[in-house]
Amino acid sequence: SISIYMQWGLVGEAIDYNEMITGKRTEGSIYGTFNLSRRVGQTIGNSAAMLLLGWIGYNGAAAVQEASTINGIKVLTVLLPGILVLGSWVAFKFLWNMDDEMHRKVYEFKVAVFCLNAVFFQNRIDQPVYGFLCRKKALKNCPDFSLDAKDCT
């Protein structure tokens, strides 16, 4: 589902935002916390699904389920996910603060960090410049980085 892919993009945004706020790039801690919380959430979700199936009267040994059980399964597979999607929308709409203005601020911060590192390491050969290896003084030798030397004005 697309929500799985969105999670990873949001983690990247959270890492950049956290770096801007704290001045430290702690992606290992953020990814580790994200993975731990994701696994705990999956465990809770799977356990809750089994518990809810028991509550609605599901009987795995029965050849045919009762009408109330079938209705309960419909609620669990349609209504409950719909409510959770609505909750996600509310969270992104009102809690997530990464709007266009914040994206611009994070971008400007990344440009500034890149340029400061480039100036600091410009006379050294094969030194890391914001996570990438640059050679000599030419910033254009960093093709993997999305910022050009023209951004360092």
Side-chain angles (χ1 to χ4, degrees):
S1 135
I2 191 144
S3 64
I4 301 297
Y5 296 113
M6 279 182 53
Q7 292 174 11
W8 294 102
L10 296 173
V11 171
E13 284 189 354
I15 289 169
D16 291 340
Y17 178 76
N18 183 60
E19 180 185 15
M20 183 181 78
I21 297 299
T22 65
K24 297 178 182 176
R25 188 146 182 103
T26 57
E27 62 233 290
S29 296
I30 293 172
Y31 274 117
T33 302
F34 169 69
N35 276 323
L36 178 64
S37 64
R38 187 175 53 87
R39 289 178 184 187
V40 168
Q42 286 173 329
T43 301
I44 292 170
N46 290 338
S47 299
M50 295 298 108
L51 179 67
L52 290 172
L53 278 175
W55 279 357
I56 63 170
Y58 179 79
N59 181 358
V64 176
Q65 299 296 324
E66 295 180 19
S68 62
T69 303
I70 302 243
N71 286 335
I73 291 172
K74 288 178 183 177
V75 166
L76 290 178
T77 58
V78 177
L79 185 61
L80 183 60
I83 292 170
L84 295 175
V85 165
L86 181 63
S88 294
W89 178 83
V90 168
F92 282 116
K93 183 71 175 168
F94 300 108
L95 298 177
W96 184 254
N97 67 347
M98 291 300 290
D99 56 5
D100 290 340
E101 177 65 20
M102 188 57 67
H103 278 253
R104 185 188 61 73
K105 287 179 182 178
V106 171
Y107 173 80
E108 289 173 357
F109 172 79
K110 289 177 76 170
V111 169
V113 168
F114 175 75
C115 294
L116 286 173
N117 284 330
V119 168
F120 181 75
F121 290 113
Q122 69 182 347
N123 293 323
R124 301 177 186 197
I125 297 174
D126 294 332
Q127 293 295 321
V129 175
Y130 203 68
F132 298 97
L133 289 177
C134 291
R135 289 176 176 50
K136 301 193 181 177
K137 295 182 182 180
L139 295 176
K140 63 184 176 189
N141 287 338
C142 297
D144 293 332
F145 199 82
S146 61
L147 304 174
D148 295 327
K150 67 178 171 37
D151 292 321
C152 301
T153 57

